[in-house]
Amino acid sequence: MPLRCAVLDDFQQVATEVADWSPVADRVDVTSFAEHFGSEDELADALAEFDIVVTLRERVPFPASLIARLPRLKLLVASGMRNSVIDYDAAAAHGVTVCGTASSPTPPVELTWALLLGLARGIVRENDALRGNGPWQQTVGTDLHGSRLGLLGLGKIGSRVARVGLAFGMHVSAWSQNLTKEYTDEVGVELAPSKEDLLSGSDFVSVHLALSDRTRGLLGPAELALLKPTAYLINTSRAAIVDQDALLAALRQGRIAGAGVDVFDVEPLPAGHPMRTAPRLLATPHLGYVSRANYATYYGQAVEDIRAFLDGAPVRRLG
């Protein structure tokens, strides 16, 4: 009997289209789930009869309690090579192999700029007005050339965002807890003296840090209060880095010009969530990694992971 494989959160129903699953077709039956399972009970019920699970990024937690409720689970494949919501010790204790895939930094870089440009030029508001026979020109765009872009984080994604900013003629500075002048010089940007200096001096602030105990809540009420009233905040990293209540308050009170957000405290965002109706907010449903090429990598390498596991030689192991 072939093993059963579940692909979670395949919202666009493309997991079996963007990759060739034929190398495992004779040994694995694949079921794709377009709906999101929001609770552990729902996941345990849906996955009870599956031997392999392919999960997308960090959307679905796999704590010890869930893993213990999946006695058939043998292989868990996560897109990307880092996943903070899988209990690796529990997986090992229950004989579950965990593998990852590559992930390109390019799609989140491009989405960061889509949000930033959309905010700077009022794209959504002007498009809605034009298509709805509304006013002709309502906004006055913010110039990127000559403005300051402040980056929290200058890793694989942040450094690419920086280079685009430089190409636009922006002054680019960066800060993170371990960032050195040698590296900022290499990228061609300024090292901000402190987080506070970066926040208070930037016209656009973009977050590109990994979520950790040090970065959780890094931008709270006091930090957001340092932003200029004309400044924009963009977060395509992790929602928990920015205090969500403080951000909502800043938007509602008009203390910043706007925010571009691709990540949320709960995903998918529930109906009626305050972020759905916040003013001055340009929001997307966590599309940072969602591109055809990236999906081809995720699911193509998921097939490789499954095949290697079935052949007794797992690759790209995590944990």
Short mmCIF file of all heavy atoms in Angstrom, two decimals, residues 94-160:
data_model
loop_
_atom_site.label_atom_id
_atom_site.label_comp_id
_atom_site.label_asym_id
_atom_site.label_seq_id
_atom_site.Cartn_x
_atom_site.Cartn_y
_atom_site.Cartn_z
N HIS A 94 9.32 10.50 18.73
CA HIS A 94 8.27 9.70 18.11
C HIS A 94 8.70 9.10 16.77
O HIS A 94 7.87 8.59 16.01
CB HIS A 94 7.01 10.55 17.90
CG HIS A 94 6.26 10.83 19.17
ND1 HIS A 94 6.60 11.87 20.01
CD2 HIS A 94 5.21 10.19 19.76
CE1 HIS A 94 5.79 11.88 21.06
NE2 HIS A 94 4.94 10.87 20.93
N GLY A 95 9.99 9.19 16.47
CA GLY A 95 10.51 8.57 15.26
C GLY A 95 10.12 9.30 13.98
O GLY A 95 10.06 8.68 12.92
N VAL A 96 9.88 10.60 14.09
CA VAL A 96 9.50 11.40 12.92
C VAL A 96 10.73 12.12 12.38
O VAL A 96 11.39 12.87 13.09
CB VAL A 96 8.40 12.42 13.27
CG1 VAL A 96 8.06 13.29 12.05
CG2 VAL A 96 7.16 11.72 13.80
N THR A 97 11.03 11.90 11.12
CA THR A 97 12.11 12.61 10.46
C THR A 97 11.59 13.96 9.96
O THR A 97 10.50 14.04 9.41
CB THR A 97 12.65 11.80 9.26
OG1 THR A 97 13.15 10.54 9.74
CG2 THR A 97 13.75 12.55 8.54
N VAL A 98 12.37 15.02 10.17
CA VAL A 98 11.98 16.36 9.73
C VAL A 98 13.00 16.86 8.71
O VAL A 98 14.21 16.84 8.97
CB VAL A 98 11.90 17.36 10.90
CG1 VAL A 98 11.39 18.72 10.41
CG2 VAL A 98 10.99 16.82 12.01
N CYS A 99 12.51 17.27 7.55
CA CYS A 99 13.39 17.77 6.48
C CYS A 99 12.92 19.13 6.01
O CYS A 99 11.75 19.49 6.19
CB CYS A 99 13.42 16.80 5.31
SG CYS A 99 14.09 15.16 5.73
N GLY A 100 13.81 19.87 5.37
CA GLY A 100 13.47 21.20 4.87
C GLY A 100 13.76 21.32 3.39
O GLY A 100 14.09 20.34 2.71
N THR A 101 13.62 22.53 2.90
CA THR A 101 13.90 22.83 1.50
C THR A 101 14.62 24.17 1.43
O THR A 101 14.65 24.92 2.40
CB THR A 101 12.61 22.93 0.66
OG1 THR A 101 11.95 24.18 0.96
CG2 THR A 101 11.66 21.77 0.92
N ALA A 102 15.13 24.48 0.28
CA ALA A 102 15.69 25.82 0.06
C ALA A 102 14.55 26.83 -0.03
O ALA A 102 13.38 26.47 -0.21
CB ALA A 102 16.51 25.83 -1.23
N SER A 103 14.90 28.09 0.12
CA SER A 103 13.92 29.18 -0.02
C SER A 103 14.66 30.41 -0.51
O SER A 103 15.69 30.79 0.04
CB SER A 103 13.25 29.46 1.33
OG SER A 103 12.27 30.48 1.21
N SER A 104 14.13 31.04 -1.55
CA SER A 104 14.79 32.20 -2.14
C SER A 104 14.48 33.47 -1.35
O SER A 104 13.32 33.69 -0.97
CB SER A 104 14.33 32.37 -3.59
OG SER A 104 14.81 33.60 -4.10
N PRO A 105 15.47 34.33 -1.12
CA PRO A 105 15.21 35.62 -0.49
C PRO A 105 14.60 36.64 -1.44
O PRO A 105 14.16 37.71 -1.01
CB PRO A 105 16.60 36.07 -0.03
CG PRO A 105 17.53 35.45 -1.03
CD PRO A 105 16.91 34.12 -1.38
N THR A 106 14.57 36.33 -2.73
CA THR A 106 14.12 37.33 -3.71
C THR A 106 12.65 37.71 -3.59
O THR A 106 12.32 38.91 -3.62
CB THR A 106 14.43 36.84 -5.13
OG1 THR A 106 15.84 36.61 -5.25
CG2 THR A 106 14.00 37.85 -6.17
N PRO A 107 11.72 36.76 -3.47
CA PRO A 107 10.30 37.16 -3.41
C PRO A 107 9.97 38.12 -2.27
O PRO A 107 9.24 39.10 -2.50
CB PRO A 107 9.57 35.82 -3.28
CG PRO A 107 10.47 34.84 -3.94
CD PRO A 107 11.85 35.29 -3.58
N PRO A 108 10.46 37.90 -1.03
CA PRO A 108 10.14 38.89 0.01
C PRO A 108 10.77 40.26 -0.24
O PRO A 108 10.20 41.28 0.16
CB PRO A 108 10.67 38.25 1.30
CG PRO A 108 11.56 37.16 0.87
CD PRO A 108 11.11 36.71 -0.47
N VAL A 109 11.92 40.29 -0.90
CA VAL A 109 12.52 41.58 -1.26
C VAL A 109 11.58 42.33 -2.20
O VAL A 109 11.30 43.53 -2.01
CB VAL A 109 13.90 41.38 -1.92
CG1 VAL A 109 14.42 42.69 -2.50
CG2 VAL A 109 14.88 40.79 -0.92
N GLU A 110 11.10 41.63 -3.21
CA GLU A 110 10.22 42.27 -4.20
C GLU A 110 8.92 42.72 -3.56
O GLU A 110 8.41 43.82 -3.87
CB GLU A 110 9.97 41.29 -5.35
CG GLU A 110 11.24 40.99 -6.14
CD GLU A 110 11.05 39.90 -7.18
OE1 GLU A 110 9.96 39.26 -7.21
OE2 GLU A 110 11.99 39.67 -7.98
N LEU A 111 8.35 41.91 -2.65
CA LEU A 111 7.10 42.32 -2.00
C LEU A 111 7.33 43.52 -1.09
O LEU A 111 6.48 44.40 -0.98
CB LEU A 111 6.49 41.17 -1.21
CG LEU A 111 5.12 41.53 -0.65
CD1 LEU A 111 4.07 41.57 -1.76
CD2 LEU A 111 4.69 40.58 0.46
N THR A 112 8.48 43.55 -0.43
CA THR A 112 8.80 44.71 0.41
C THR A 112 8.73 45.99 -0.40
O THR A 112 8.13 46.99 0.03
CB THR A 112 10.21 44.56 1.02
OG1 THR A 112 10.22 43.44 1.91
CG2 THR A 112 10.63 45.81 1.76
N TRP A 113 9.28 45.95 -1.61
CA TRP A 113 9.27 47.15 -2.44
C TRP A 113 7.89 47.43 -3.02
O TRP A 113 7.51 48.59 -3.21
CB TRP A 113 10.34 47.06 -3.53
CG TRP A 113 11.66 47.41 -2.93
CD1 TRP A 113 12.65 46.56 -2.55
CD2 TRP A 113 12.09 48.72 -2.56
NE1 TRP A 113 13.69 47.26 -1.97
CE2 TRP A 113 13.37 48.59 -1.97
CE3 TRP A 113 11.53 49.99 -2.67
CZ2 TRP A 113 14.08 49.69 -1.49
CZ3 TRP A 113 12.24 51.09 -2.20
CH2 TRP A 113 13.50 50.92 -1.62
N ALA A 114 7.09 46.38 -3.26
CA ALA A 114 5.72 46.60 -3.71
C ALA A 114 4.93 47.35 -2.65
O ALA A 114 4.20 48.31 -2.95
CB ALA A 114 5.05 45.26 -4.02
N LEU A 115 5.10 46.95 -1.39
CA LEU A 115 4.39 47.63 -0.30
C LEU A 115 4.92 49.06 -0.11
O LEU A 115 4.14 50.00 0.05
CB LEU A 115 4.56 46.84 1.00
CG LEU A 115 3.83 45.50 1.06
CD1 LEU A 115 4.23 44.72 2.31
CD2 LEU A 115 2.32 45.69 1.03
N LEU A 116 6.24 49.19 -0.13
CA LEU A 116 6.82 50.52 0.09
C LEU A 116 6.39 51.50 -1.00
O LEU A 116 5.96 52.63 -0.72
CB LEU A 116 8.34 50.39 0.16
CG LEU A 116 9.12 51.60 0.69
CD1 LEU A 116 10.45 51.15 1.29
CD2 LEU A 116 9.38 52.64 -0.39
N LEU A 117 6.46 51.07 -2.25
CA LEU A 117 6.07 51.94 -3.36
C LEU A 117 4.57 52.21 -3.35
O LEU A 117 4.12 53.32 -3.65
CB LEU A 117 6.49 51.31 -4.68
CG LEU A 117 8.00 51.34 -4.98
CD1 LEU A 117 8.34 50.36 -6.08
CD2 LEU A 117 8.44 52.74 -5.34
N GLY A 118 3.80 51.17 -3.00
CA GLY A 118 2.36 51.37 -2.92
C GLY A 118 1.98 52.42 -1.90
O GLY A 118 1.08 53.24 -2.13
N LEU A 119 2.67 52.41 -0.77
CA LEU A 119 2.43 53.42 0.26
C LEU A 119 2.89 54.80 -0.20
O LEU A 119 2.17 55.80 -0.06
CB LEU A 119 3.17 53.04 1.55
CG LEU A 119 2.61 51.87 2.35
CD1 LEU A 119 3.63 51.43 3.40
CD2 LEU A 119 1.30 52.26 3.04
N ALA A 120 4.10 54.86 -0.73
CA ALA A 120 4.69 56.15 -1.09
C ALA A 120 3.88 56.89 -2.14
O ALA A 120 3.80 58.13 -2.12
CB ALA A 120 6.13 55.94 -1.58
N ARG A 121 3.24 56.15 -3.04
CA ARG A 121 2.53 56.80 -4.13
C ARG A 121 1.00 56.63 -4.05
O ARG A 121 0.29 56.96 -5.00
CB ARG A 121 3.03 56.28 -5.48
CG ARG A 121 4.53 56.56 -5.73
CD ARG A 121 4.88 58.04 -5.59
NE ARG A 121 4.22 58.85 -6.58
CZ ARG A 121 4.73 59.18 -7.76
NH1 ARG A 121 5.93 58.74 -8.09
NH2 ARG A 121 4.06 59.93 -8.60
N GLY A 122 0.50 56.14 -2.93
CA GLY A 122 -0.94 56.04 -2.74
C GLY A 122 -1.62 55.19 -3.79
O GLY A 122 -2.75 55.49 -4.21
N ILE A 123 -0.97 54.10 -4.21
CA ILE A 123 -1.44 53.33 -5.35
C ILE A 123 -2.85 52.77 -5.14
O ILE A 123 -3.71 52.88 -6.03
CB ILE A 123 -0.46 52.18 -5.66
CG1 ILE A 123 0.93 52.72 -6.03
CG2 ILE A 123 -1.01 51.29 -6.77
CD1 ILE A 123 0.94 53.58 -7.28
N VAL A 124 -3.09 52.16 -3.99
CA VAL A 124 -4.40 51.53 -3.78
C VAL A 124 -5.51 52.57 -3.74
O VAL A 124 -6.56 52.41 -4.38
CB VAL A 124 -4.38 50.70 -2.48
CG1 VAL A 124 -5.78 50.16 -2.17
CG2 VAL A 124 -3.39 49.54 -2.60
N ARG A 125 -5.30 53.64 -3.01
CA ARG A 125 -6.33 54.68 -2.92
C ARG A 125 -6.63 55.30 -4.27
O ARG A 125 -7.79 55.49 -4.65
CB ARG A 125 -5.88 55.75 -1.93
CG ARG A 125 -6.92 56.85 -1.70
CD ARG A 125 -6.42 57.85 -0.68
NE ARG A 125 -7.36 58.96 -0.53
CZ ARG A 125 -7.10 60.03 0.20
NH1 ARG A 125 -5.95 60.15 0.86
NH2 ARG A 125 -8.00 61.02 0.28
N GLU A 126 -5.58 55.59 -5.04
CA GLU A 126 -5.79 56.21 -6.35
C GLU A 126 -6.43 55.22 -7.33
O GLU A 126 -7.29 55.61 -8.14
CB GLU A 126 -4.46 56.72 -6.91
CG GLU A 126 -3.83 57.85 -6.09
CD GLU A 126 -4.59 59.17 -6.18
OE1 GLU A 126 -5.68 59.23 -6.81
OE2 GLU A 126 -4.10 60.16 -5.62
N ASN A 127 -6.04 53.96 -7.27
CA ASN A 127 -6.64 52.96 -8.15
C ASN A 127 -8.12 52.78 -7.83
O ASN A 127 -8.96 52.70 -8.74
CB ASN A 127 -5.90 51.63 -8.01
CG ASN A 127 -6.53 50.53 -8.84
OD1 ASN A 127 -6.44 50.53 -10.05
ND2 ASN A 127 -7.19 49.60 -8.17
N ASP A 128 -8.43 52.70 -6.55
CA ASP A 128 -9.84 52.54 -6.15
C ASP A 128 -10.68 53.72 -6.63
O ASP A 128 -11.81 53.55 -7.11
CB ASP A 128 -9.95 52.39 -4.64
CG ASP A 128 -9.45 51.04 -4.14
OD1 ASP A 128 -9.24 50.15 -4.98
OD2 ASP A 128 -9.27 50.90 -2.92
N ALA A 129 -10.13 54.93 -6.49
CA ALA A 129 -10.87 56.13 -6.91
C ALA A 129 -11.07 56.15 -8.42
O ALA A 129 -12.16 56.45 -8.92
CB ALA A 129 -10.13 57.39 -6.46
N LEU A 130 -10.02 55.80 -9.16
CA LEU A 130 -10.12 55.81 -10.61
C LEU A 130 -11.15 54.79 -11.10
O LEU A 130 -11.99 55.09 -11.94
CB LEU A 130 -8.74 55.53 -11.21
CG LEU A 130 -8.60 55.66 -12.73
CD1 LEU A 130 -7.19 56.14 -13.09
CD2 LEU A 130 -8.88 54.33 -13.43
N ARG A 131 -11.09 53.60 -10.57
CA ARG A 131 -12.00 52.54 -11.01
C ARG A 131 -13.42 52.75 -10.51
O ARG A 131 -14.37 52.23 -11.08
CB ARG A 131 -11.46 51.18 -10.56
CG ARG A 131 -10.16 50.80 -11.26
CD ARG A 131 -9.56 49.55 -10.66
NE ARG A 131 -10.42 48.38 -10.86
CZ ARG A 131 -10.43 47.63 -11.94
NH1 ARG A 131 -9.62 47.92 -12.96
NH2 ARG A 131 -11.22 46.58 -12.04
N GLY A 132 -13.57 53.52 -9.44
CA GLY A 132 -14.90 53.78 -8.90
C GLY A 132 -15.46 55.13 -9.30
O GLY A 132 -16.39 55.63 -8.66
N ASN A 133 -14.88 55.75 -10.35
CA ASN A 133 -15.33 57.07 -10.81
C ASN A 133 -15.25 58.11 -9.71
O ASN A 133 -16.08 59.00 -9.61
CB ASN A 133 -16.76 56.99 -11.37
CG ASN A 133 -16.85 56.13 -12.61
OD1 ASN A 133 -16.03 56.27 -13.52
ND2 ASN A 133 -17.82 55.23 -12.66
N GLY A 134 -14.22 57.98 -8.89
CA GLY A 134 -14.02 58.93 -7.80
C GLY A 134 -13.17 60.10 -8.23
O GLY A 134 -12.98 60.35 -9.43
N PRO A 135 -12.61 60.84 -7.27
CA PRO A 135 -11.83 62.05 -7.58
C PRO A 135 -10.61 61.72 -8.43
O PRO A 135 -10.03 60.65 -8.32
CB PRO A 135 -11.41 62.57 -6.21
CG PRO A 135 -12.22 61.84 -5.21
CD PRO A 135 -12.71 60.59 -5.83
N TRP A 136 -10.24 62.66 -9.26
CA TRP A 136 -9.04 62.54 -10.09
C TRP A 136 -7.89 63.16 -9.31
O TRP A 136 -7.82 64.37 -9.16
CB TRP A 136 -9.26 63.26 -11.41
CG TRP A 136 -8.11 63.10 -12.37
CD1 TRP A 136 -7.09 63.97 -12.58
CD2 TRP A 136 -7.87 61.99 -13.24
NE1 TRP A 136 -6.23 63.50 -13.52
CE2 TRP A 136 -6.69 62.26 -13.96
CE3 TRP A 136 -8.54 60.79 -13.48
CZ2 TRP A 136 -6.16 61.39 -14.90
CZ3 TRP A 136 -8.02 59.92 -14.42
CH2 TRP A 136 -6.84 60.23 -15.12
N GLN A 137 -6.99 62.33 -8.80
CA GLN A 137 -5.84 62.72 -7.97
C GLN A 137 -6.30 63.17 -6.58
O GLN A 137 -6.97 64.18 -6.42
CB GLN A 137 -5.02 63.86 -8.61
CG GLN A 137 -4.28 63.46 -9.86
CD GLN A 137 -3.32 64.55 -10.31
OE1 GLN A 137 -3.09 65.55 -9.63
NE2 GLN A 137 -2.76 64.36 -11.50
N GLN A 138 -5.90 62.39 -5.60
CA GLN A 138 -6.17 62.74 -4.20
C GLN A 138 -4.91 62.88 -3.38
O GLN A 138 -4.89 63.63 -2.41
CB GLN A 138 -7.03 61.64 -3.55
CG GLN A 138 -8.34 61.33 -4.24
CD GLN A 138 -9.01 60.14 -3.60
OE1 GLN A 138 -9.63 60.26 -2.56
NE2 GLN A 138 -8.85 58.98 -4.21
N THR A 139 -3.88 62.12 -3.76
CA THR A 139 -2.69 62.05 -2.92
C THR A 139 -1.53 62.81 -3.54
O THR A 139 -1.51 63.07 -4.75
CB THR A 139 -2.27 60.58 -2.74
OG1 THR A 139 -1.98 60.01 -4.01
CG2 THR A 139 -3.39 59.78 -2.08
N VAL A 140 -0.57 63.16 -2.70
CA VAL A 140 0.70 63.73 -3.15
C VAL A 140 1.78 62.74 -2.75
O VAL A 140 1.98 62.46 -1.57
CB VAL A 140 0.97 65.09 -2.51
CG1 VAL A 140 2.34 65.62 -2.96
CG2 VAL A 140 -0.13 66.09 -2.87
N GLY A 141 2.45 62.18 -3.74
CA GLY A 141 3.40 61.10 -3.47
C GLY A 141 4.60 61.54 -2.67
O GLY A 141 5.02 62.71 -2.69
N THR A 142 5.17 60.57 -1.96
CA THR A 142 6.41 60.78 -1.21
C THR A 142 7.58 60.36 -2.08
O THR A 142 7.60 59.25 -2.62
CB THR A 142 6.41 59.95 0.08
OG1 THR A 142 5.30 60.36 0.90
CG2 THR A 142 7.70 60.13 0.85
N ASP A 143 8.55 61.24 -2.25
CA ASP A 143 9.71 60.94 -3.08
C ASP A 143 10.64 59.96 -2.37
O ASP A 143 10.97 60.13 -1.20
CB ASP A 143 10.49 62.22 -3.39
CG ASP A 143 9.70 63.18 -4.25
OD1 ASP A 143 9.61 62.95 -5.46
OD2 ASP A 143 9.16 64.15 -3.69
N LEU A 144 11.06 58.93 -3.09
CA LEU A 144 12.06 58.02 -2.56
C LEU A 144 13.46 58.61 -2.70
O LEU A 144 14.27 58.53 -1.78
CB LEU A 144 12.00 56.67 -3.28
CG LEU A 144 11.06 55.63 -2.69
CD1 LEU A 144 9.63 56.12 -2.60
CD2 LEU A 144 11.14 54.33 -3.46
N HIS A 145 13.74 59.21 -3.86
CA HIS A 145 15.06 59.79 -4.10
C HIS A 145 15.35 60.86 -3.05
O HIS A 145 14.56 61.80 -2.86
CB HIS A 145 15.13 60.41 -5.50
CG HIS A 145 16.49 60.90 -5.86
ND1 HIS A 145 17.42 60.10 -6.48
CD2 HIS A 145 17.09 62.10 -5.67
CE1 HIS A 145 18.53 60.79 -6.67
NE2 HIS A 145 18.35 62.01 -6.20
N GLY A 146 16.46 60.70 -2.36
CA GLY A 146 16.85 61.67 -1.35
C GLY A 146 16.29 61.42 0.03
O GLY A 146 16.70 62.07 1.00
N SER A 147 15.34 60.49 0.17
CA SER A 147 14.79 60.17 1.49
C SER A 147 15.65 59.10 2.15
O SER A 147 16.53 58.50 1.53
CB SER A 147 13.34 59.71 1.38
OG SER A 147 13.26 58.49 0.68
N ARG A 148 15.38 58.85 3.44
CA ARG A 148 16.19 57.88 4.18
C ARG A 148 15.41 56.60 4.42
O ARG A 148 14.30 56.62 4.94
CB ARG A 148 16.66 58.45 5.52
CG ARG A 148 17.51 57.45 6.33
CD ARG A 148 18.29 58.12 7.43
NE ARG A 148 19.30 59.02 6.91
CZ ARG A 148 20.51 58.66 6.48
NH1 ARG A 148 20.85 57.37 6.45
NH2 ARG A 148 21.37 59.55 6.03
N LEU A 149 16.03 55.50 4.04
CA LEU A 149 15.50 54.17 4.29
C LEU A 149 16.28 53.55 5.45
O LEU A 149 17.49 53.39 5.36
CB LEU A 149 15.64 53.30 3.04
CG LEU A 149 15.32 51.81 3.18
CD1 LEU A 149 13.86 51.59 3.58
CD2 LEU A 149 15.65 51.06 1.88
N GLY A 150 15.58 53.22 6.52
CA GLY A 150 16.21 52.58 7.67
C GLY A 150 15.84 51.11 7.72
O GLY A 150 14.65 50.77 7.70
N LEU A 151 16.84 50.25 7.79
CA LEU A 151 16.61 48.81 7.77
C LEU A 151 16.96 48.20 9.12
O LEU A 151 18.07 48.37 9.62
CB LEU A 151 17.46 48.15 6.69
CG LEU A 151 17.21 48.63 5.26
CD1 LEU A 151 18.21 47.99 4.30
CD2 LEU A 151 15.79 48.32 4.83
N LEU A 152 16.00 47.52 9.70
CA LEU A 152 16.26 46.72 10.89
C LEU A 152 16.61 45.31 10.43
O LEU A 152 15.74 44.52 10.10
CB LEU A 152 15.02 46.71 11.79
CG LEU A 152 14.67 48.04 12.46
CD1 LEU A 152 13.29 47.99 13.08
CD2 LEU A 152 15.72 48.38 13.52
N GLY A 153 17.91 45.06 10.34
CA GLY A 153 18.39 43.80 9.81
C GLY A 153 18.99 43.97 8.44
O GLY A 153 18.42 44.66 7.58
N LEU A 154 20.15 43.37 8.23
CA LEU A 154 20.85 43.51 6.95
C LEU A 154 21.39 42.14 6.52
O LEU A 154 22.53 42.01 6.09
CB LEU A 154 22.00 44.52 7.08
CG LEU A 154 22.57 45.12 5.80
CD1 LEU A 154 21.52 45.96 5.08
CD2 LEU A 154 23.82 45.95 6.09
N GLY A 155 20.53 41.13 6.62
CA GLY A 155 20.91 39.79 6.20
C GLY A 155 20.65 39.57 4.72
O GLY A 155 20.73 40.49 3.92
N LYS A 156 20.28 38.33 4.36
CA LYS A 156 20.08 38.00 2.95
C LYS A 156 19.00 38.87 2.31
O LYS A 156 19.13 39.30 1.16
CB LYS A 156 19.69 36.53 2.81
CG LYS A 156 20.82 35.55 3.11
CD LYS A 156 20.35 34.12 2.90
CE LYS A 156 21.47 33.14 3.19
NZ LYS A 156 21.02 31.73 3.01
N ILE A 157 17.93 39.12 3.06
CA ILE A 157 16.83 39.92 2.52
C ILE A 157 17.12 41.41 2.69
O ILE A 157 17.01 42.19 1.75
CB ILE A 157 15.50 39.53 3.19
CG1 ILE A 157 15.14 38.09 2.84
CG2 ILE A 157 14.38 40.48 2.78
CD1 ILE A 157 13.94 37.54 3.57
N GLY A 158 17.50 41.81 3.90
CA GLY A 158 17.75 43.22 4.17
C GLY A 158 18.81 43.83 3.27
O GLY A 158 18.68 44.97 2.80
N SER A 159 19.88 43.07 2.97
CA SER A 159 20.94 43.61 2.13
C SER A 159 20.46 43.82 0.70
O SER A 159 20.86 44.78 0.03
CB SER A 159 22.16 42.69 2.16
OG SER A 159 21.83 41.39 1.68
N ARG A 160 19.57 42.95 0.23
CA ARG A 160 19.02 43.12 -1.11
C ARG A 160 18.06 44.30 -1.16
O ARG A 160 18.03 45.06 -2.13
CB ARG A 160 18.32 41.83 -1.56
CG ARG A 160 19.28 40.70 -1.91
CD ARG A 160 18.55 39.37 -2.04
NE ARG A 160 19.36 38.32 -2.63
CZ ARG A 160 20.26 37.61 -1.95
NH1 ARG A 160 20.45 37.84 -0.66
NH2 ARG A 160 20.95 36.65 -2.56
#
